[in-house]
């Protein structure tokens, strides 16, 4: 039960440690929001594997060590009377450039002779589906009141939804129901991990404002598919 209908939507705080662990700075940010009578605090996105980090000092949630540091921060929020949802994500094409790592996307994109991201195999997709679910399980274990899947803002799940980025011809590309398949698989696996009674939210664009991109009509179809799943 929330105290009110005020929701702090997720923003990247940039207050985690360089390795993605919780800090006193980040805990204070959330506790201040709880003291400000925010009904539900949604955290900045937490990356589900090391290659999915999208910004410096972003919160991570890909190991049990991250679970422990998150639990300490969530306890402080609860002690301040707040409720908190952990947002989980993968940066996809917009992940940080890491030495020796080629970023992942629905399709290979090259610019000025450089590979911006490589097309994911179905094995890659299944691996990341499971990593989202494992991150959601860690959030629940840490005491989170809900989990939000980040499928917006051009990050990996958003890229699969958008025909601007997604040029695949297999089961994960083409019509909107197939472009949504990756997100639906993530949502199903997260639900299996956290159980039926645990609140699960999904954030995605109303449209991506790109010619040949994700449209409002697509958004309504994806929302319907999620509701029915």
């Amino acid at each position: 039960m929330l105290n009110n209908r005020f929701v702090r939507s997720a923003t990247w705080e940039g207050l985690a440690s360089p390795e993605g662990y919780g800090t006193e700075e980040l805990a204070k940010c959330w506790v201040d929001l709880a003291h400000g009578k925010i009904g539900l605090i949604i955290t900045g996105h937490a990356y589900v594997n090391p290659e999915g980090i999208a910004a410096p000092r972003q919160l991570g949630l890909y190991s049990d060590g991250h679970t422990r540091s998150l639990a300490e921060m969530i306890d402080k929020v609860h002690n301040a009377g707040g409720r908190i949802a952990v947002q989980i994500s993968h940066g996809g094409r917009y992940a940080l450039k890491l030495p020796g790592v080629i970023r992942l996307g629905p399709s290979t994109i090259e610019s000025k002779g450089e590979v911006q991201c490589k097309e994911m195999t179905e094995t890659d997709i299944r691996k990341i589906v499971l990593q989202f679910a494992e991150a959601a399980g860690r959030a629940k274990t840490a005491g989170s009141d809900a989990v939000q899947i980040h499928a917006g803002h051009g990050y990996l799940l958003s890229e699969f939804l958008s025909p601007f980025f997604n040029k695949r011809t297999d089961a994960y590309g083409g019509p909107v129901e197939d472009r949504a398949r990756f997100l639906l698989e993530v949502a199903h696996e997260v639900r299996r991990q956290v159980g039926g009674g645990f609140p699960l939210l999904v954030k995605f664009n109303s449209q991506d404002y790109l010619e040949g991109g994700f449209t409002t009509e697509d958004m309504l179809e994806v929302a319907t598919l999620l509701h029915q799943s």
Side-chain angles (χ1 to χ4, degrees), residues 71-132:
E72 292 172 1
M73 295 191 294
I74 289 176
D75 282 346
K76 293 177 181 179
V77 172
H78 287 163
N79 290 337
R83 293 290 180 268
I84 191 162
V86 175
Q87 187 185 81
I88 52 177
S89 76
H90 187 293
R93 181 194 178 192
Y94 295 110
L96 291 180
K97 287 187 177 181
L98 300 173
V101 175
I102 300 177
R103 291 170 292 190
L104 298 176
S107 304
T108 298
I109 297 177
E110 296 186 23
S111 177
K112 299 179 181 179
E114 180 184 0
V115 175
Q116 298 292 314
C117 62
K118 65 178 180 180
E119 180 171 307
M120 293 172 63
T121 65
E122 291 193 13
T123 299
D124 293 329
I125 290 171
R126 184 58 186 167
K127 178 180 178 181
I128 291 178
V129 166
L130 294 175
Q131 288 169 338
F132 267 95

Side-chain angles (χ1 to χ4, degrees), residues 14-35:
L15 296 175
S17 77
E19 299 78 21
Y21 294 102
T23 63
E24 290 296 328
E25 295 171 280
L26 185 52
K28 182 180 184 303
C29 172
W30 296 348
V31 168
D32 286 348
L33 289 165
H35 286 157

Side-chain angles (χ1 to χ4, degrees), residues 142-160:
S144 177
D145 299 290
V147 166
Q148 184 179 71
I149 299 167
H150 194 352
H153 299 178
Y155 296 129
L156 184 61
L157 295 176
S158 175
E159 291 163 18
F160 267 79

Side-chain angles (χ1 to χ4, degrees), residues 7-221:
V7 176
R8 182 265 199 171
S9 189
T11 63
W12 164 62
E13 300 98 346
L15 296 175
S17 77
E19 299 78 21
Y21 294 102
T23 63
E24 290 296 328
E25 295 171 280
L26 185 52
K28 182 180 184 303
C29 172
W30 296 348
V31 168
D32 286 348
L33 289 165
H35 286 157
K37 306 302 181 184
I38 300 298
L40 179 66
I41 301 160
I42 303 177
T43 70
H45 55 161
Y47 52 104
V48 301
N49 72 26
E51 293 77 25
I53 183 172
R57 297 191 66 186
Q58 182 185 348
L59 186 66
L61 199 47
Y62 61 86
S63 75
D64 291 340
H66 292 96
T67 308
R68 289 189 292 272
S69 71
L70 178 62
E72 292 172 1
M73 295 191 294
I74 289 176
D75 282 346
K76 293 177 181 179
V77 172
H78 287 163
N79 290 337
R83 293 290 180 268
I84 191 162
V86 175
Q87 187 185 81
I88 52 177
S89 76
H90 187 293
R93 181 194 178 192
Y94 295 110
L96 291 180
K97 287 187 177 181
L98 300 173
V101 175
I102 300 177
R103 291 170 292 190
L104 298 176
S107 304
T108 298
I109 297 177
E110 296 186 23
S111 177
K112 299 179 181 179
E114 180 184 0
V115 175
Q116 298 292 314
C117 62
K118 65 178 180 180
E119 180 171 307
M120 293 172 63
T121 65
E122 291 193 13
T123 299
D124 293 329
I125 290 171
R126 184 58 186 167
K127 178 180 178 181
I128 291 178
V129 166
L130 294 175
Q131 288 169 338
F132 267 95
E134 289 164 359
R138 293 187 184 103
K140 182 180 179 182
T141 297
S144 177
D145 299 290
V147 166
Q148 184 179 71
I149 299 167
H150 194 352
H153 299 178
Y155 296 129
L156 184 61
L157 295 176
S158 175
E159 291 163 18
F160 267 79
L161 292 175
S162 174
F164 183 87
F165 296 104
N166 186 345
K167 308 298 184 184
R168 301 175 74 99
T169 58
D170 63 1
Y172 293 91
V176 63
E177 59 268 23
D178 289 340
R179 286 183 274 119
R181 189 181 305 276
F182 187 13
L183 171 58
L184 291 169
E185 289 179 357
V186 167
H188 292 162
E189 196 65 30
V190 167
R191 172 57 71 202
R192 190 189 69 80
Q193 180 73 241
V194 301
F198 191 75
L200 173 58
L201 314 173
V202 179
K203 180 178 184 176
F204 59 103
N205 300 342
S206 60
Q207 57 180 302
D208 54 21
Y209 298 98
L210 295 170
E211 185 175 351
F214 190 68
T215 66
T216 302
E217 290 73 20
D218 288 341
M219 176 271 293
L220 293 171
E221 180 66 21

